[in-house]
Amino acid sequence: MTTSGVQLEDPTVLSAERVAALLEADPEGGLSDAEARARLEADGPNELRAKPPVPLWRKVLSQFQDPLIYLLLAAIVISLAAWAAEGAASLPVDAIVIALIVIANAILGLVQEAKAESAVAALASMTAAASTVVRDGRLVTVPAHDLVCGDLLSLSEGDSVGADARLLSASALRLQESSLTGESTSTSKSPEALDAPASLGDRRNMVYRGTAVVQGVGLAVVTSTGMDTEMGKIADLLDRTEQEPSPLQREIAAVSKMLGLLVIGIAVVVMAAIALLNGVDDANDAVTILLLGVSLAVAAVPEGLPAILSVVLAIGVRAMARRNAVMKDLHSVETLGAASVICSDKTGTLTRNEMTLSRIITPSGRVELSGTGYRPEGEATYRPTDGSEPDLLRESRNVVAAGALANNAQLLEEDGAWTIQGDPTEAALLVALRKLEDAERLVAGYEREAEVPFTSQRKMMSILGHHVEADEHRLFVKGAPDVLLGHCDWVRVGDQVVPLDDDHRGGFLRAVQGLSTDAYRTLGVAYRDVVPDAIAAVDPGGRHKIDESAESGLVLLGVVGIMDPPRDEARDAVSQAHRAGIRTVMITGDHPGTAARIAADLGIARADQPALSGEEIDALDDEEFRRAVLDAAVYARVAPEHKLRIVDALQSHGLVVAMTGDGVNDAPALKSADIGIAMGIAGTEVTKESARMILADDNYATIVDAVRQGRVIFDNIKKFLRYLLSSNLGEVATVFFGVVLAGVIGLSDAGAAGDLVLPLLATQILWINLVTDSGPALAMGVDPEVDDVMAHPPRRQTDRILDRAMWTRIGFIGVVMAAVTLLTIDIMLPGGVVGGGTSSLEVARTAGFTTLVMAQLFNALNSRSDLTSAFWHLTDNRWLWAAIALALVLQVLVVQVPFLQTAFGTESLSLGQWLICIAMASMVLWLEELSKLIRRRRRQHRSPSPIE
């Protein structure tokens, strides 16, 4: 293995010290920033080989690889052939116009594709993995792609390994390596060198890119990055993974295909009807009919739907990211908007995650500490019960000192601001240590020699401390009080250690219950004096190692109550979710009393509604638990495996479940949930990789806001679908009924004898498709919320986006468009139903053409809501008004500018004729307003169904 010019032998058979030396890495202080930058420049980023970017010429070519574009290209060839057959006396206007429209469509497609790619790339950068390394003697977090050989990786539970690395030290370290080895169980790791090279699954002293730390801590030196890693060797297999289309993508693809077949059939019927009714006198007539049929088919099928859908989703998801909800996949938005249950962790999500230790309970009484947050300022109030105040002071100091030693957090001050690194609960102990008089003296002189890390199953953690001056070893332990009590045989009262009898045990349990009822999170603290050789093994470096067997015969010091106040915005968010038909379920490892109290305060559960504990869940069989989840709103003292069971039970009722998580063991539940939500601040890299959404601020209110945004995005997709399909149907109906009813509206008599008379020309149809489709549709994709999307229950995933009611309204608008367009032509012509017109066929056709364009623009205003009046928040969408204004300007140009008149077969319109076109086109707006009013009245008379 070659790394930065160094020839590295198999690192598994070398000692850790030898590997570090070969890599020129300091096993204590790590690389310097300057050296890391130099190695990154020399070796390149720690990235797997990406698929080569698609060259521009291929992207351009792909815009023409569509059956409808093939039809247009065929139309150009036919038009050029007919032009050549007629002597090529003038420019081939039809062929040039169609070619320009094809090019314009290709440019629009490229722009939309570029926007979607840009949004996806931005999302990828937001969710990029990070690693904790030691550089310049400090722990820092760097993007995983910046790792270099020789970096010291600091590994802890929940981390995703960023590069292949050789372990230097490890404590109870286990990794899940199934992504590489296929083994479903986790693998124990140790820094000792192997006797001989081993297969991948047996290399106990190596950690590999893409694997996950499920337990313990460790320090490792990076030996391989990028394509040199074991994951890099299988990169080709990763490249072959195909992404399945989402339900919405499949539905839109099916609709597009169905419309394509239907419209091609209608186009054939229209061409046959024209040929039968008007006859085909020469090749020019045949070409005109063929071009009309092709143009009708192309214009009527919304071939840009997939591109517009991607752009709208991309824009929406980027807007969500700016509001702290980062979606990892564009199409997860569909599911988010349908969420019917949000299962949320309590700590940091529903609460502020600014843990404050406010109560200390010891055998001699209780101590109350003032102050909130992480600023170590506050006063202690001593309330002795069974002892003297000096005993209570002594006991409380011992409690916080032991808790501060059994601790991995850091309390930092910078420019007067206090911040923490690590677990907020552990940090609360460090803050309390500084509030108690003379307590810091008790932790001075201790060096940590070994650790038994906390796990969600054990609910405890221990460290072996060595007091150098006194040459004494002591085990410091903290954990859930009910669990810790089972490991304690003694209790410290004042300066005495006495047996932990039933009276003391019962007193502590009552104190824990009381703290939990007052919404405190409780933590027990204990210790044990040890002879290290009697309980601890010694590693090759001379350091002691301990395991869980040491956690027995402990001396209980006391219990602390830690308050994490609810977020100010959480109650309103829970209320908003309930109004939207979304249940909020709180899941926590806290005491049931604490959980129930906070849930009641937030409006999640009734005041008399108890929490369902992990033990109670275990006692229920699957069917009993399936019934229980319908009413349970709070789960307490749960383990990560309970989360998975909760998700499965809720989903069995057809509910769409969003589940939050932060620990490595939450990953299975997040993957199983319909929307897995990882914490951006407290979450581990493993949970972020398993989730579909990452909360940048770990805030429950952000989840509810994201659901609202998801519903708005989905609502906007329905808007532009309603607009595109009804507008395209209007074009088809105009041509079809214009041909069938040509004699009724005066078209047949308007042309010279033997001339082919059509309501619209092929180039005019293509122009309508170009001008009115993409701009307004994209603008509706970013439409602000018109209807209150949180005022109705979540949609079911089985509901189709294009249901019968929506198709009915699409059909109604399409028929109205065709009617007002043909009626405008009738008004302009001498004959027909209305009669009295004096305009030529060209002017009448131009008026109909203009009316249809404007009718579609009025339809854009209609389509912003299914029920709400178009005049409600009429000017909110500036992008829509810009698209409408641009379309109007282009339409005026195509009607009034001479060379465009030649290209599109138009004639200038007078002011009076323009006003007639506007008035007739506006009927689309007024009739839909009447239809909406009727639907609103009907809805008001219905009995509203209660939201469960």
Side-chain angles (χ1 to χ4, degrees), residues 860-924:
L861 300 177
N862 280 338
S863 300
R864 294 184 65 219
S865 174
D866 190 36
L867 282 175
T868 304
S869 169
F871 297 98
W872 180 253
H873 295 300
L874 180 63
T875 59
D876 281 4
N877 191 339
R878 292 175 297 172
W879 291 106
L880 180 58
W881 281 105
I884 290 173
L886 178 62
L888 284 174
V889 169
L890 292 174
Q891 184 62 23
V892 170
L893 293 175
V894 85
V895 170
Q896 302 296 139
V897 176
F899 80 89
L900 291 175
Q901 291 175 342
T902 303
F904 290 93
T906 58
E907 292 284 342
S908 297
L909 297 178
S910 67
L911 177 60
Q913 290 167 334
W914 274 103
L915 292 175
I916 290 173
C917 293
I918 294 171
M920 294 301 294
S922 71
M923 293 303 297
V924 172

Side-chain angles (χ1 to χ4, degrees), residues 647-686:
V647 169
D648 292 341
L650 289 169
Q651 288 175 330
S652 72
H653 292 284
L655 299 172
V656 178
V657 182
M659 170 69 79
T660 69
D662 52 15
V664 61
N665 291 325
D666 291 334
L670 265 61
K671 280 188 175 181
S672 181
D674 299 283
I675 292 289
I677 304 172
M679 301 296 104
I681 299 173
T684 61
E685 289 298 322
V686 174

Side-chain angles (χ1 to χ4, degrees), residues 815-825 848 851-852 855 920-924 927:
V815 170
V816 170
M817 278 188 194
V820 298
T821 301
L822 296 177
L823 189 57
T824 301
I825 294 174
T851 299
L852 184 55
M920 294 301 294
S922 71
M923 293 303 297
V924 172
L927 290 175

